[in-house]
Structure formats: structure tokens, C-alpha cells
Amino acid sequence: MNGALKAAWGLTAFVIVAGIVGWIVTGRPVFAVFIVLGVVTAVGAVFALRTPPDRPTSEKGPTP
């Protein structure tokens, strides 16, 4: 994992925690938007950074 990816995960975690703390401290549910955006960002990162499945290799050589 490179530095930019670590920073992105840190920012995602910060947004989620800020939403939870803001909601608890103020009691205003508008901070749920922070939580939702953080979760959506995390899910997008997981899907974008997953490794593709191995493609089956042909036992024959390439077609001429």
C-alpha cells in the first residue's frame, strides 16, 4: 500500500468519525451525510482496487 492510498483510507476514516462525533455532539442527523459519504468512498475504493481474477490460459498457443 503506497502513501497516497494510506492517506485516502485515513481521510475516509476521518470523515466517518467526524460524522459520528458531529451527530452525537449536536444531535443533528445532518451529519449522517458524512457517514454515508465515507462509507460510499470506502466501498468505491474496495471495488476499484481489487485485483482482477486470473484469466484461464489456453493450452494451445496463440492463434496464427
Side-chain angles (χ1 to χ4, degrees):
M1 190 181 310
N2 62 20
L5 189 56
K6 286 180 185 178
W9 280 111
L11 183 60
T12 299
F14 174 76
V15 168
I16 293 171
V17 170
I20 292 170
V21 170
W23 196 351
I24 291 171
V25 169
T26 64
R28 298 179 68 188
V30 70
F31 286 98
V33 173
F34 283 79
I35 299 168
V36 169
L37 289 176
V39 170
V40 167
T41 302
V43 169
V46 167
F47 280 116
L49 300 174
R50 64 183 175 168
T51 56
D54 291 334
R55 293 186 353 200
T57 56
S58 172
E59 292 183 14
K60 303 176 193 172
T63 15

